[in-house]
Amino acid sequence: GSDGGQKGLRSIINMMSSDAFPRIRFGVGKKPHPDYDMVDWVLGKFPKQDLDTLEKAVKVVPEALSLMVQGDFDKAMNTCNR
């Protein structure tokens, strides 16, 4: 997939000359209002009401990574998208 505007991912894609590799992505959701600065939203702290959701999501990453290393991308995706 694309870099989605993320410079670190863009660098990896450029170095590999390909965007065809698996990744685990965390979405940040919609900005609280349209005129909110996107950089502040993406790089800011998670709202307290979202911390429980974030904690649950982070806990499945090791299992998903293990499945990805084993080549079981569908199962890894299902692990992340419970």
Side-chain angles (χ1 to χ4, degrees), residues 1-37:
S2 75
D3 61 40
Q6 209 281 330
K7 293 179 184 177
L9 194 51
R10 183 178 308 142
S11 176
I12 292 169
I13 290 169
N14 287 337
M15 292 180 80
M16 294 180 62
S17 299
S18 173
D19 65 359
F21 55 88
R23 59 198 86 176
I24 295 177
R25 296 171 30 171
F26 281 86
V28 296
K30 292 186 177 185
K31 298 184 290 184
H33 45 84
D35 59 338
Y36 199 96
D37 182 63

Side-chain angles (χ1 to χ4, degrees), residues 2-76:
S2 75
D3 61 40
Q6 209 281 330
K7 293 179 184 177
L9 194 51
R10 183 178 308 142
S11 176
I12 292 169
I13 290 169
N14 287 337
M15 292 180 80
M16 294 180 62
S17 299
S18 173
D19 65 359
F21 55 88
R23 59 198 86 176
I24 295 177
R25 296 171 30 171
F26 281 86
V28 296
K30 292 186 177 185
K31 298 184 290 184
H33 45 84
D35 59 338
Y36 199 96
D37 182 63
M38 182 58 94
V39 173
D40 288 341
W41 179 242
V42 172
L43 299 178
K45 294 185 182 216
F46 280 89
K48 289 184 182 189
Q49 66 268 22
D50 293 339
L51 291 178
D52 186 49
T53 302
L54 175 64
E55 186 176 310
K56 288 176 184 174
V58 169
K59 285 182 179 179
V60 302
V61 171
E63 180 183 354
L65 283 173
S66 178
L67 291 165
M68 290 172 75
V69 168
Q70 296 171 44
D72 198 343
F73 300 106
D74 288 336
K75 194 169 182 181

